[in-house]
Each structure stands twice: as C-alpha cells, then as structure tokens.
Amino acid sequence: MAQTASEIRYLTPLSVEIKKKKYCRFRKSRIKYVDYKDPEFLKKFLNEQGKILPRRVTGTSLKFQRKVSNAVKRSRHIAMLPYVTDLMK
C-alpha cells in the first residue's frame, strides 16, 4: 500500500517556525544609561560561562551593545561580576 502525499496524516500539525522580530530593549524602554553597578541586569547579557552575548542573539542595537560591554567590563573590574565561571545562571 503506497501512500501518496495527500494521504499522509500526522498526529500533531507540523510546526511552522515563526521568527520573532528582534528589538533593542533599551530603545523600547527608553533607557539612556547602562548602570555597571547593577549585576542582575547585566547577567541578562551574559551566557553561562560569563561571556558577553553578541548583538545577533540579544537584538541590542550597536550603540547600546557598546555600552553594555563597557558596563560588564567595569563591573568585572570591581568584582561585581566574575570574569569566568562554570555555571553562572
């Protein structure tokens, strides 16, 4: 019994991947200053090893990505964030 393409049925419908449009959370929230003394906020821009996530992942604009990276580096310098870790989150 050969089935044709129209006879193939699935238990669950095929998932269609819809890409969400990336947006800069700083421009949306109208944040002008990235505070380096707020490690909980800066952890959103770090992965589990403590590396800074790239713009293409976070959706942050170039202007604010530079501010985030400087804030993370300053926060690391005064020991509010670790340079390297096994499991940060």
Side-chain angles (χ1 to χ4, degrees):
M1 289 183 145
Q3 293 182 349
T4 61
S6 62
E7 294 177 13
I8 296 174
R9 297 184 184 184
Y10 299 98
L11 296 175
T12 58
L14 295 174
S15 63
V16 178
E17 293 183 23
I18 300 172
K19 288 190 174 184
K20 291 175 70 176
K21 187 164 175 19
K22 294 180 186 174
Y23 63 93
C24 179
R25 69 178 83 192
F26 296 99
R27 291 193 181 189
K28 189 172 185 181
S29 303
R30 298 183 184 190
I31 298 172
K32 294 185 179 180
Y33 178 72
V34 182
D35 191 13
Y36 67 93
K37 293 170 279 186
D38 188 7
E40 293 303 317
F41 179 71
L42 293 175
K43 281 184 184 178
K44 296 177 186 174
F45 299 97
L46 303 175
N47 65 4
E48 292 81 24
Q49 291 89 27
K51 295 180 182 179
I52 302 172
L53 290 173
R55 285 181 57 211
R56 59 186 160 79
V57 175
T58 59
T60 309
S61 64
L62 178 62
K63 175 182 174 180
F64 286 102
Q65 180 69 21
R66 287 185 185 134
K67 290 183 179 185
V68 165
S69 65
N70 281 336
V72 168
K73 290 172 187 177
R74 287 178 181 170
S75 184
R76 285 175 177 164
H77 186 72
I78 62 172
M80 294 183 96
L81 286 175
Y83 281 94
V84 186
T85 182
D86 288 334
L87 291 171
M88 179 178 284
K89 297 181 182 179

